[in-house]
Amino acid sequence: MKILVTGGAGFIGSNFINYWLNKYPHDQIINLDKLTYAGNLENLNAVKDNPNYSFIQGDIADIKLLDSILPGVSLVIHFAAESHVDRSIIGPAIFIQTNVLGTQVLLDACLKHKIGHFHHVSTDEVFGALSLDSEVKFSEITPYNPRSPYSASKAASDHLVRSYGITFGLKYTITNCSNNFGPYQYPEKFLPLMITNLLQDKKVPVYGDGLYVRDWLYVEDHCQAIDLVVHSGKIGETYCIGGMTEDINNLQITKKVLAIMGKDESYIQFVEDRPGHDRRYAVDWTKAKNELGYKPVYDFDNYLVKTVNWYRENEKWWRKLIGQTNNF
Ligand SMILES: NC(=O)c1ccc[n+]([C@@H]2O[C@H](COP(=O)([O-])OP(=O)(O)OC[C@H]3O[C@@H](n4cnc5c(N)ncnc54)[C@H](O)[C@@H]3O)[C@@H](O)[C@H]2O)c1
């Protein structure tokens, strides 16, 4: 099978390519990535010489380029996006450009080239925020209520994908997943920022009161979920993918990381809250469990330790990126 992966040099996309070529060595993967600040070909060192892997630097909104790549492709897995909420607050335009218009160009090209399956990778943030005192979780029937330019652009892309299915017969699936963590995550995001700050003996910024709840998903569990959806999911369906069964807030996670890294709580620095900060996300992944046999296998506490160790052992990887992070 020939697969086009978009955004395969980013955090999840690169983990996915490494996962897929390891599990399905006979498949062919083309990685189309623009190499924005978030794209890093070093994430793909393990596969760069694999004859079944090729890399093309380019934009998902480049129709001519897509026309040259898509013939012979049977599956498209669409990760490419602007993905950082804080950046979307400072400059929303590129989020609309890439996540909305870029997705629309890619969808048109997939229709034109009669792609057999388009899988769209999205986020639980499209559903908005849950309150701390509720036990409600996001599921496939939760109404959309995005509250940041990032989540609004991802919501728009989800709507576009579904509309192309209904209007033009595009064969698609969608996953809306929770916060991923693991190796190769750019050090501007919550966990790698905290870990790399502590490795430099710096304080860790915690927004507001720190009582923000996220559902954490180890990146390989996410890859496994996409694998299940691509192989056994129903065309035209959406699957919510989460990794936790109990709530945990950012302050509790910060304290866990401090303990793993042998630091005390004086390293916590509460900073001014992010505007429109969503209080709680929690994902109900019952549909994926019942229909596809999905179950997260990577325990949060163990894989938090493994993630800390990965950043400890790969200082060269993140050191290069730190300057860029502080300058955006
Ligand atoms: N990271 C998470 O916790 C999380 C959670 C839920 C959903 N998602 C979604 O998963 C996908 C991947 O997220 P990530 O964390 O790996 O993001 P990332 O920011 O690490 O990587 C994005 C990749 O897309 C590439 N890219 C950006 N614009 C492009 C364009 N116009 N054309 C081609 N390539 C382009 C970048 O160069 C980069 O390699 C995104 O769609 C994101 O919305 C992420």
Side-chain angles (χ1 to χ4, degrees):
M1 175 160 55
K2 195 167 163 186
I3 304 167
L4 172 66
V5 170
T6 71
F11 163 46
I12 307 174
S14 59
N15 274 284
F16 179 81
I17 292 174
N18 287 319
Y19 163 95
W20 194 276
L21 285 175
N22 189 37
K23 189 162 174 198
Y24 305 107
H26 300 298
D27 283 344
Q28 231 182 306
I29 289 191
I30 304 167
N31 174 15
L32 170 64
D33 196 297
K34 190 175 169 184
L35 295 184
T36 66
Y37 78 95
N40 187 347
L41 291 179
E42 284 182 25
N43 305 2
L44 295 153
N45 278 345
V47 297
K48 71 179 190 322
D49 299 322
N50 184 328
N52 281 337
Y53 167 77
S54 57
F55 171 69
I56 297 171
Q57 183 170 4
D59 196 319
I60 51 166
D62 182 342
I63 186 74
K64 280 200 183 128
L65 181 62
L66 292 172
D67 276 342
S68 70
I69 297 172
L70 284 172
V73 167
S74 48
L75 168 66
V76 172
I77 304 188
H78 180 33
F79 293 96
E82 288 294 331
S83 70
H84 192 39
V85 176
D86 289 7
R87 285 181 189 258
S88 83
I89 294 167
I90 292 167
I94 187 68
F95 285 73
I96 306 307
Q97 182 66 41
T98 297
N99 302 359
V100 185
L101 297 173
T103 299
Q104 175 253 312
V105 173
L106 182 64
L107 288 168
D108 279 343
C110 287
L111 276 181
K112 180 174 170 189
H113 292 277
K114 300 187 171 43
I115 297 303
H117 189 165
F118 181 92
H119 180 71
H120 180 57
V121 179
S122 191
T123 168
D124 61 354
E125 301 191 29
V126 298
F127 300 122
L130 299 164
S131 67
L132 278 186
D133 53 9
S134 96
E135 298 205 342
V136 175
K137 295 186 173 193
F138 299 136
S139 78
E140 294 77 6
I141 57 166
T142 307
Y144 276 40
N145 183 23
R147 292 157 36 93
S148 74
Y150 163 66
S151 54
S153 69
K154 291 298 288 186
S157 69
D158 294 10
H159 292 320
L160 277 173
V161 172
R162 287 195 191 98
S163 76
Y164 272 61
I166 292 161
T167 309
F168 305 116
L170 179 83
K171 295 189 172 61
Y172 75 89
T173 44
I174 298 177
T175 41
N176 291 94
C177 74
S178 56
N179 279 37
N180 284 221
F181 71 106
Y184 301 118
Q185 187 167 29
Y186 195 87
E188 65 186 352
K189 302 271 168 77
F190 177 64
L191 269 172
L193 176 67
M194 185 173 2
I195 297 166
T196 54
N197 270 12
L198 291 173
L199 287 171
Q200 298 169 87
D201 206 37
K202 290 185 185 166
K203 292 195 175 203
V204 293
V206 173
Y207 276 134
D209 57 13
L211 304 181
Y212 290 93
V213 171
R214 297 293 177 262
D215 181 313
W216 292 93
L217 174 66
Y218 189 64
V219 64
E220 208 167 315
D221 273 327
H222 185 193
C223 296
Q224 182 226 137
I226 295 172
D227 184 353
L228 285 169
V229 172
V230 161
H231 283 109
S232 318
K234 280 194 210 124
I235 292 298
E237 292 286 323
T238 293
Y239 296 89
C240 284
I241 309 296
M244 308 287 284
T245 46
E246 279 169 31
D247 280 4
I248 182 165
N249 67 41
N250 288 350
L251 196 54
Q252 288 168 313
I253 294 185
T254 306
K255 289 180 182 171
K256 277 181 192 278
V257 173
L258 288 170
I260 294 166
M261 299 185 71
K263 304 275 189 192
D264 63 39
E265 291 180 16
S266 67
Y267 280 85
I268 299 176
Q269 183 171 23
F270 289 99
V271 295
E272 193 184 333
D273 215 346
R274 166 199 282 168
H277 205 162
D278 292 339
R279 197 38 115 171
R280 172 175 171 261
Y281 302 145
V283 174
D284 176 355
W285 36 273
T286 308
K287 177 177 171 183
K289 178 174 152 228
N290 291 347
E291 289 188 16
L292 311 172
Y294 167 75
K295 193 174 184 302
V297 294
Y298 297 100
D299 164 79
F300 180 72
D301 285 305
N302 287 337
Y303 279 81
L304 188 58
V305 175
K306 284 194 198 291
T307 302
V308 168
N309 288 339
W310 187 88
Y311 283 90
R312 257 196 196 122
E313 287 155 17
N314 290 277
E315 185 167 339
K316 261 195 190 160
W317 181 90
W318 58 261
R319 278 266 176 210
K320 287 185 199 160
L321 308 174
I322 292 294
Q324 298 172 26
T325 307
N326 295 339
N327 289 337
F328 88 89

